[in-house]
Amino acid sequence: MNNLTSWDTDPVQAFKEFVVSDAFAKTAQRLRADGTLKAVSTESAKTYVFMFANAVAWITEQGKTLTTVTSGDLVRFVSRVDGGKPVLNSKIGYRYLRLLERCYQHLGVVPNPAKQAILATDRAELPKDDPGRALSPEQLQRFFDALPADPPRGKRVVPFSGWNHRRDRAMQVVIARAGLTVSEAIGLLVHEVGNQVALDGSIDLTITPEEKHETSYEHIAPLPREGVAELRPWLDERGRMVLELAMKGDFVFPANLEGAKMTKKTVYKQIKATFARAGLDTSRAGGRTLRNTFAKAQLDAGARPDELKDVLGLALERSAADYKFTRIKDDPK
């Protein structure tokens, strides 16, 4: 066992040093496609530090340290309930246990209490998440009808006036029609949009980890004819903006003329605004709801989970199968 002194006396500082090291990267279950280690991004490191500090604070409240905490204690940590509601949903609870497992693995603690906690719960005993939300076909059509702005047509008094609204419209359609995550949409690059149109009018979006979430799998997401009809006019306008306004960067949906990347928070607000205009319930209204709707429609149409896994860029077939449990929520009265 490695020396645990610093991890017991100042665990957060010890973790801060660990999370940015190659040692932390070696504890990951997934490597780059070429098998090399990949250090976590600055943003991911901040998230991990926050999670670790939160876990340590609870452990300290129990009068224990990383050395003395047991697997039973960790099961209690992820299973906490406040006001009748779980503090952590099952996925987040598992991520906490997995993060602690990596720490104990690095420190050579045997048996690994976090690993034992994972095996003890098998994720089945953790507080259950509410089913994901999806839209009915009628609700989805209302969402499309409430999208901001029309595609660019004809001449305008002021060139490119309202371009950002047409960008938002195209992005929301692409998320809904191709089942992209918001991270994949805001990180979509021009060269990832296929030029070859299939017989059914679709094009392929080649989603890579570049400019997206660091754990994204490279995959092909077909964009159907209806999505292409919205994306192409925006790409044409974007191309003219590059020539006439010197718009910079390679993002399909840039935040500004400097070519900056849009933020997930901004896209969330824009999608929620479309939900509101459509008269749909705005609770849990975001890109995830559109992705859920896409995935559920694919399964309902007969797609197999292994096929959907590849379209969505998921690691596990069971993750794709889970979309069948999404629920359609009635409109607000």
Side-chain angles (χ1 to χ4, degrees):
M1 179 187 298
N2 291 327
N3 191 332
L4 279 170
T5 301
S6 62
W7 285 79
D8 273 349
T9 57
D10 194 354
V12 175
Q13 180 56 41
F15 180 79
K16 286 180 178 179
E17 296 172 2
F18 171 52
V19 75
V20 296
S21 69
D22 285 344
F24 182 77
K26 288 178 181 178
T27 64
Q29 292 179 332
R30 290 167 54 185
L31 302 175
R32 285 189 175 120
D34 61 5
T36 59
L37 295 173
K38 183 176 182 179
V40 299
S41 66
T42 301
E43 201 61 34
S44 293
K46 289 180 181 178
T47 300
Y48 287 138
V49 169
F50 170 82
M51 292 174 65
F52 183 81
N54 191 30
V56 165
W58 183 87
I59 290 170
T60 303
E61 288 176 1
Q62 311 309 303
K64 298 193 174 184
T65 66
L66 284 176
T67 304
T68 59
V69 73
T70 68
S71 60
D73 295 326
L74 296 181
V75 170
R76 287 195 299 114
F77 169 67
V78 297
S79 302
R80 288 169 296 151
V81 175
D82 184 13
K85 295 183 178 181
V87 175
L88 303 174
N89 69 35
S90 64
K91 291 181 180 179
I92 298 300
Y94 173 79
R95 289 173 185 168
Y96 268 101
L97 293 178
R98 172 59 186 145
L99 180 62
L100 291 172
E101 180 189 15
R102 295 173 72 175
C103 295
Y104 286 119
Q105 178 183 336
H106 166 65
L107 294 168
V109 176
V110 179
N112 186 318
K115 184 173 184 177
Q116 288 182 313
I118 292 173
L119 294 175
T121 59
D122 194 25
R123 301 179 73 173
E125 298 177 16
L126 296 176
K128 299 299 182 184
D129 306 342
D130 291 333
R133 179 188 177 188
L135 301 179
S136 69
E138 184 271 337
Q139 289 173 331
L140 181 61
Q141 186 55 55
R142 282 164 48 201
F143 176 86
F144 288 138
D145 292 342
L147 286 167
D150 287 326
R153 295 186 179 92
K155 295 182 179 180
R156 288 183 169 79
V157 176
V158 179
F160 308 113
S161 174
W163 69 268
N164 54 321
H165 298 300
R166 294 184 292 279
R167 171 206 62 196
D168 299 343
R169 176 189 181 93
M171 173 184 277
Q172 291 180 42
V173 169
V174 168
I175 291 173
R177 295 292 191 186
L180 302 189
T181 65
V182 170
S183 292
E184 290 169 348
I186 64 178
L188 187 64
L189 302 172
V190 173
H191 70 263
E192 294 177 337
V193 178
N195 294 314
Q196 186 68 39
V197 180
L199 291 176
D200 62 1
S202 67
I203 61 173
D204 285 341
L205 306 178
T206 302
I207 307 300
T208 71
E210 185 180 359
E211 294 291 351
K212 304 170 189 67
H213 197 279
E214 62 177 13
T215 59
S216 296
Y217 281 106
E218 181 170 340
H219 65 284
I220 301 296
L223 180 66
R225 182 191 303 272
E226 299 85 352
V228 175
E230 294 284 354
L231 179 59
R232 282 302 182 197
W234 162 245
L235 288 176
D236 291 342
E237 181 174 14
R238 183 192 180 284
R240 295 195 302 273
M241 293 174 71
V242 170
L243 294 176
E244 299 178 33
L245 301 181
M247 175 182 274
K248 299 180 176 62
D250 297 317
F251 291 119
V252 171
F253 307 110
N256 50 39
L257 295 180
E258 295 303 312
K261 187 176 182 178
M262 294 185 72
T263 66
K264 289 192 286 188
K265 183 177 181 180
T266 296
V267 176
Y268 170 78
K269 289 181 177 179
Q270 293 167 350
I271 293 176
K272 190 168 185 176
T274 304
F275 269 75
R277 288 192 299 271
L280 299 168
D281 190 336
T282 56
S283 63
R284 299 173 69 186
R288 184 178 296 277
T289 299
L290 298 179
R291 180 171 165 91
N292 290 348
T293 302
F294 170 86
K296 187 176 188 303
Q298 295 291 306
L299 291 173
D300 290 347
R304 301 193 310 271
D306 62 318
E307 296 171 332
L308 182 60
K309 172 182 74 70
D310 294 337
V311 171
L312 295 178
L314 299 172
L316 301 173
E317 183 178 324
R318 67 172 179 266
S319 298
D322 284 347
Y323 283 101
K324 67 183 178 183
F325 298 116
T326 57
R327 295 289 181 266
I328 294 171
K329 194 170 186 179
D330 292 336
D331 296 331
K333 303 297 184 183

